Amino acid sequence: GQNIDQPTEMTATEGAIVQINCTYQTSGFNGLFWYQQHAGEAPTFLSYNVLDGLEEKGRFSSFLSRSKGYSYLLLKELQMKDSASYLCAVWDSNYQLIWGAGTKLIIKP
Amino acid sequence: DTAVSQTPKYLVTQMGNDKSIKCEQNLGHDTMYWYKQDSKKFLKIMFSYNNKELIINETVPNRFSPKSPDKAHLNLHINSLELGDSAVYFCASSHQTGGPSETQYFGPGTRLLVL
């Protein structure tokens, strides 16, 4: 079956760095997305990786290792507004988007 | 200005009723989706339409029927609502399915509560 695993919840301190991991087992792979979802709101796009390596976008970076079925989202200089759920999603061989359950990130002052 | 809009935002109804949720996108996208997000926050694809044609129909009960009058609209009709249908329903759109790096843009969600 298809499976995406992320930690359920993480806590970090304002100004710090946090890494949210995602492992996946899917039938084929055509890319991996990270989305941010604030409570009560719709998911919004953060990043897309299809090749191995690190993609940096401001305070957020996303890493992919296809051979390990692994990705992480790195958030630097954490701000209170970064408190949200972070969803990992993988495009399988049929270009169907398979979603993880999300990681709830709590930022403390 | 709203890219993907849904109505209503909240829907409270009795078991057994029939209800519809509407979705419209003004992004010129070819593909639209319906997702269900349950209390455990899993986002599950229900339907995907490309240029008004159904391309993905996950194993949802046939009480759920999507209708796409044109490529900018994808409505969801639900018959004989059940308690387990309570969830947040998200509409989304993208340029095309199957294309690389196609970001999906989500509507604000419809919070359905079946009593």
Side-chain angles (χ1 to χ4, degrees), chain A residues 4 30 33 35 37 40-45 48 85 87 91 94-102, chain B residues 35 37 40-43 45 56 58 90 97-109 111:
Chain A
I4 297 188
N30 279 305
F33 290 85
Y35 278 79
Q37 185 176 25
E41 296 182 14
T44 53
F45 171 78
Y48 171 77
S85 286
L87 305 169
W91 249 340
N94 295 320
Y95 287 100
Q96 189 167 329
L97 208 52
I98 311 298
W99 293 83
Chain B
Y35 285 91
Q37 189 173 42
K40 293 182 181 176
K41 304 303 180 188
F42 273 105
L43 261 174
I45 184 76
I56 295 175
E58 288 300 302
F90 286 104
T97 193
S101 71
E102 281 308 328
T103 303
Q104 293 187 16
Y105 294 84
F106 284 78
R111 285 136 191 87

Side-chain angles (χ1 to χ4, degrees), chain A residues 12-38:
Chain A
T13 306
E14 193 177 13
I17 298 174
V18 71
Q19 178 174 311
I20 303 173
N21 295 327
C22 169
T23 57
Y24 62 88
Q25 293 167 311
T26 54
S27 55
F29 179 84
N30 279 305
L32 184 144
F33 290 85
W34 283 97
Y35 278 79
Q36 180 190 58
Q37 185 176 25
H38 284 101

Side-chain angles (χ1 to χ4, degrees), chain A residues 53-99:
Chain A
L54 189 68
E55 296 271 347
E56 298 189 70
K57 202 187 278 188
R59 294 189 299 114
F60 292 10
S61 304
S62 56
F63 172 83
L64 174 68
S65 168
R66 288 172 295 171
S67 61
K68 294 181 180 175
Y70 167 70
S71 172
Y72 67 72
L73 181 69
L74 191 72
L75 293 79
K76 302 177 188 173
E77 301 168 17
L78 284 169
Q79 301 174 9
M80 297 304 292
K81 67 178 182 180
D82 298 330
S83 291
S85 286
Y86 292 85
L87 305 169
C88 173
V90 172
W91 249 340
D92 69 7
S93 54
N94 295 320
Y95 287 100
Q96 189 167 329
L97 208 52
I98 311 298
W99 293 83

